[in-house]
Amino acid sequence: MPRLILSMDGLVLKEMVLEKERTTIGRKPHNDIQIDNLAISGDHAAIVTILNDAFLEDMNSTNGTYVNGQPVKKHVLRDSDVIELGKYRLKYITDGSGPQSEQDEGVSFPQAAEGPAGRSAPAMQEALPAASQSVQSPAAVLGMIQILSGTHAGRTLELSKSLTTLGKPGSQVAVITRRPHGYFITHVEGTVFPVVNGRSLDAQAHRLNDHDIIEIAGVKMEFFSQVAET
């Protein structure tokens, strides 16, 4: 189970297991992780845990939230990431994670060279997989994504991992998580939220249904499901 190690100036203060779906961090007493320091906002950040995957979100804090020295608003946590809140450090640890090739899948849509019409078309390439543990759902239904636009239109992606990352890092990123009761899409990074069936999503996880049309980073794709082979 993922855990956090809280330290300051190299001195370990506490170790916490991420048992809740949502863990809050801040100066106020109601937070799950209270850090009584004026550099920390009352409600500073939150970590949402889905199966063995965790997403860090800055809660509009005054001094910001950093991961490995970089400011973040939303961030998919990787094993050994260091969250920085003022002088405090929270190291994210995933126990028992296997080789990265066995882990979750990522697909990014960076800008490609200009096409015949002079417009930059989004290209798709396999991104480095996330360092969170792959968990297979017991459900017999397997989700699929078919790319509808861009240079890889027609390609089909199998959503067999617990988490698949989609989008353009640094611009717009979303994740599709595989849970026992279905597939859910969640916005992770960027000011523009994913669009499903023409409607922009909010910060909450959204359950996907057959033939939903998703648009992320200018690329349209269709979600559908089929019976998994046994």
Side-chain angles (χ1 to χ4, degrees), residues 16 21 32 38 100 111 119 129-130 133 140-141 157 161 164 179-180 187 196 214 216-217 223 228:
M16 299 139 287
E21 182 172 334
D32 299 302
L38 291 177
Q100 286 196 349
Q111 292 301 112
R119 295 172 58 190
Q133 187 176 1
V141 174
L157 303 173
K161 303 295 185 179
T164 301
R179 306 186 195 179
H187 174 73
V196 176
I214 305 165
I216 301 172
F223 171 83

Side-chain angles (χ1 to χ4, degrees), residues 91-112:
K91 188 170 185 179
Y92 175 75
I93 302 293
T94 58
D95 294 323
S97 57
Q100 286 196 349
S101 59
E102 298 295 327
Q103 304 311 311
D104 298 326
E105 190 174 7
V107 177
S108 63
F109 306 107
Q111 292 301 112

